[in-house]
Amino acid sequence: MINPLSSSHMVNMEFISNAMILSFSILLLLPSASYSLYQKPENHIKTAIFVIGSFEMGPGSIATKTFENIKFPKGHVGIKSFDAELVDQEGNSIPSYETYLHHWFAIKYHQNITMSPNPKLRRPEDAFFQRNEGTCNGGILPHYWGFGVESRGTTSKIPDPFGIEQGNPTKIKNGYEEKWLLNIMVIDTRGAQDKKACTQCRCDQMNLPKDFYNVTRDIHNQKLTTNYKGGLFCCQDNLQCKQIEGFQGSRRMVSLRYKISWVDWNIYQIPVKVYILDSTDKVRSNGSKILHDCLAEYTIPATGGGGDSPHVQKANIPMEKGGYLIYGTAHMHSGVVNATLYGQDGRTLCTSTPKYGTGKEAGNEKGYLIGMSVCYPQPGSIKIHDGEILTLESRYKNEFRTGAMGHFYIYLAEELPQ
């Protein structure tokens, strides 16, 4: 496996599996504090807002960036929420019909405190992922938090007394320190010939290099074929969506603003484990060993009319460890109908449904996905058992679509409040 802190990189999808690290620039803007409503005992919830970037974008441009060593709460803490959105140089929210946030992923890694600042002198053991508990293979979907265009309307808040435990010194190897990176993909659709196709990273809508298919490798490190019609590989950094002839638009600086809330860890906090499941997971077995093959994205083929029935992408995913379901939601793209996670007995564990915008303001853009619903079952009411096989179904409108995603996020607790 490529060193996760290597300076080499090809495309965003290769980052998801191998974590290429680029330069970073971070600015702390607005720390604040508030208090939880949970009173036994009173939790002191701290909140901070950060801005990462910034980078310049013009009409039709694509930016895929990775920022390492981002600002993150220090010490042994329980994260209560992690939210993000795109802003311009004045700090104004940018509407999705101008600049489309394809995704942002927050990923934890441990770094040797003696690691050289020179990438050429770094060793494989100098840094490595600390991925979520999800079932995907290798470095696929290793993040703890991350959404896309739906970010502004999808809450990540965890109810008290639960939290995502981070910075536990007993889980950090001696001589290492815990750090975080952010990977983002942003698409400026101003002046695009086909905005919808541009946000889907449709290859025929991009100004690709002439040798694109000769030099690009897929998620399995195989040569990309011309059958690949769209997705992350066609949204490489500095590529361009095809523009309307004669369109003129200004360039501007774009940043990601993120907000984290947390509590200092104590005996009253109950940890939840983060599982990110993928509806493309092709599960197979090798003797007694379960093998996963997540693709992270997929194409919905043209159906010649489609009809009213949605396209369904389905995966049956065995869970080595279970727990009590505390939170559930899905990361999907525009055109989503819903995503549902089922238990082995067919019971519905959580269905996440979309909300589409009706206006012009950022966060309510007409026709755009602006949020996915979240499940908060009564703690203890839904339990996933060790070894249970879950079924994940992601549903989109039945029409040609590239770069579709069906990621389901669940937070599981192994114990409940007394």
Side-chain angles (χ1 to χ4, degrees), residues 4-12 15 19-25 63-69 109 119 122 181-184 237-238:
L5 296 189
S6 166
S7 62
S8 62
H9 65 283
M10 273 199 308
V11 294
N12 188 268
F15 162 76
M20 275 21 94
I21 306 302
L22 306 177
S23 61
F24 68 91
S25 173
T64 60
K65 307 292 184 184
T66 302
F67 302 94
E68 68 174 324
N69 194 25
Y109 62 99
R122 293 176 181 176
L181 63 87
L182 272 169
N183 170 254
I184 64 175
D237 193 37
N238 294 322

Side-chain angles (χ1 to χ4, degrees), residues 161-268:
F162 303 98
I164 299 176
E165 184 183 11
Q166 301 297 335
N168 185 341
T170 67
K171 297 181 180 180
I172 302 174
K173 186 178 177 180
N174 187 38
Y176 285 75
E177 54 187 342
E178 187 171 282
K179 294 189 174 185
W180 290 83
L181 63 87
L182 272 169
N183 170 254
I184 64 175
M185 178 191 289
V186 182
I187 306 170
D188 192 318
T189 61
R190 293 175 296 165
Q193 293 179 5
D194 187 334
K195 286 191 176 222
K196 181 178 178 181
C198 184
T199 62
Q200 293 178 19
C201 300
R202 193 96 47 93
C203 299
D204 61 3
Q205 291 297 314
M206 304 295 170
N207 290 321
L208 299 176
K210 291 182 179 180
D211 61 350
F212 174 77
Y213 285 102
N214 291 326
V215 300
T216 306
R217 315 291 287 187
D218 67 15
I219 197 170
H220 295 117
N221 202 31
Q222 301 298 310
K223 182 179 176 182
L224 199 69
T225 73
T226 54
N227 291 328
Y228 183 81
K229 301 301 181 184
L232 294 172
F233 292 104
C234 285
C235 272
Q236 298 184 40
D237 193 37
N238 294 322
L239 289 182
Q240 185 91 8
C241 294
K242 292 180 179 178
Q243 294 280 283
I244 297 170
E245 187 175 355
F247 181 84
Q248 298 292 323
S250 61
R251 299 185 66 82
R252 62 182 172 193
M253 303 305 292
V254 176
S255 301
L256 188 77
R257 181 166 61 201
Y258 64 100
K259 178 180 178 181
I260 304 178
S261 295
W262 73 96
V263 297
D264 293 327
W265 196 261
N266 57 47
I267 61 173
Y268 302 105

Side-chain angles (χ1 to χ4, degrees), residues 330-349:
H331 164 53
M332 302 184 73
H333 294 168
S334 292
V336 55
V337 174
N338 61 44
T340 300
L341 188 66
Y342 300 96
Q344 188 166 333
D345 59 0
R347 70 196 189 283
T348 297
L349 303 178

